[in-house]
Amino acid sequence: MSDAPLKGWNHTPNVPLQVSPLFQWPLKPMAILRWFWDSWFLISERLIIVGIAFISLTFFQPPLEETQTLAFGWVAEMYARNLILMTLVAGGLHLYFYTFTKQGKKLRYDPRPLMKNGKQFTLGGQIRDNMFWTLASGVTIWTIYEALLFWAMANGYAPMITFASNPIWFIALFFLIPVWESFYFYWIHRFLHIPFFYKHVHSLHHRNINVGPWSGMSMHPVEHVIFLGSVLIHFIVPSGPVHILYHLQYYALTAATTHTGFEGLVVKDKNRLALGTFHHQMHHRYFECNYGSLEIPWDKLFGSFHDGTEAANEKIRERRKRMMG
């Protein structure tokens, strides 16, 4: 019974869920290599977004010299690019999975449909509400941070490197940014679950108990400022323009992909591209668990880890009762 998968879900992965092999003992080198390979290579979100960042820099980014002076023109150009990117990713995934139901319910976690109506939503429905907060607030604050960093880098206020000046660090940053994201996200997420901040800020994101692609960046503007504030580390850590683009695109676009509500994209009966994680899907249904990711096991360390089994569910229920007094 302890390892029995949860009831009430359309699809669950193999449980109990495991944290990354980097934090399992004894260390298994082959498992670590496989985890690293699966996270990055062949077809992966991370590698795709690295490609999007280089394409953005080459074709759709104002030259660094132009960003030395703040001006409406080049900031608007970046905003338009980000608006299109978010619409293509979140909108494309929504059309594929929910409008045209091309995958049916294969690998879909929650069997229930997304909510068409609801008084809790700003615009009366889940999709309209999610799109409004994602595009009006999320993309705007994403672009403000991007413009700030490019302006700072162009004026020497943020340390800059190139591939020629430091090739090892230049490449390493692409692998380190997701690790920083995992660390940063856990702690700001715990902060946002403090009752005051949950009530006035984070509860907007948690309107989405059953998530879809537009849910990931559907947040209160204050949460967007905190969430995307991860990129401010580039005021300290030397990086290049492509790393700024990658960092914010990774944060914003994977918010959409990880909230698809599906474990992955099925092509010829095989999961070809990992998308949503059951680990975070449970957070949206059970709330007080799985604040972080499986990469860095903070949840295990602090007793908030839900491994997808009925036994863990009982523990989380007890924990929630204690937290609610």
Side-chain angles (χ1 to χ4, degrees), residues 67 70 74-75 78 142-152 244 248:
T67 67
L70 287 172
W74 65 263
V75 176
M78 290 166 64
W142 165 10
T143 305
I144 289 170
Y145 272 127
E146 213 168 55
L148 172 66
L149 263 297
F150 274 100
W151 172 83
I244 306 300
L248 283 163

Side-chain angles (χ1 to χ4, degrees), residues 157-310:
Y157 301 132
M160 179 177 163
I161 61 164
T162 63
F163 179 77
S165 67
N166 198 331
I168 294 174
W169 183 247
F170 188 93
I171 294 169
L173 268 177
F174 290 108
F175 298 100
L176 293 173
I177 284 169
V179 177
W180 164 243
E181 182 269 346
S182 189
F183 172 82
Y184 180 87
F185 178 70
Y186 175 82
W187 290 106
I188 61 128
H189 200 178
R190 287 305 299 259
F191 170 78
L192 288 166
H193 272 261
I194 294 171
F196 176 83
F197 294 103
Y198 183 88
K199 179 181 178 182
H200 296 286
V201 178
H202 192 49
S203 59
L204 192 154
H205 181 66
H206 269 285
R207 292 171 181 176
N208 299 283
I209 296 171
N210 183 13
V211 298
W214 285 107
S215 305
M217 278 287 282
S218 180
M219 305 174 187
H220 191 285
V222 171
E223 182 167 357
H224 281 131
V225 170
I226 296 169
F227 176 70
L228 295 167
S230 160
V231 77
L232 294 176
I233 196 169
H234 294 284
F235 274 106
I236 302 168
V237 176
S239 53
V242 73
H243 298 115
I244 306 300
L245 292 169
Y246 169 69
H247 193 143
L248 283 163
Q249 288 171 359
Y250 178 80
Y251 241 53
L253 300 181
T254 60
T257 60
T258 56
H259 285 76
T260 55
F262 286 76
E263 187 177 43
L265 182 67
V266 174
V267 179
K268 294 183 178 179
D269 293 323
K270 188 173 181 181
N271 185 354
R272 303 286 181 178
L273 177 64
L275 294 170
T277 65
F278 190 53
H279 181 263
H280 190 70
Q281 186 91 16
M282 287 190 290
H283 175 76
H284 275 269
R285 185 182 284 196
Y286 306 131
F287 294 90
E288 302 301 340
C289 67
N290 296 356
Y291 300 101
S293 70
L294 293 172
E295 287 191 294
I296 301 179
W298 294 112
D299 285 296
K300 271 205 160 185
L301 188 62
F302 294 108
S304 54
F305 184 64
H306 195 317
D307 65 8
T309 63
E310 286 290 349

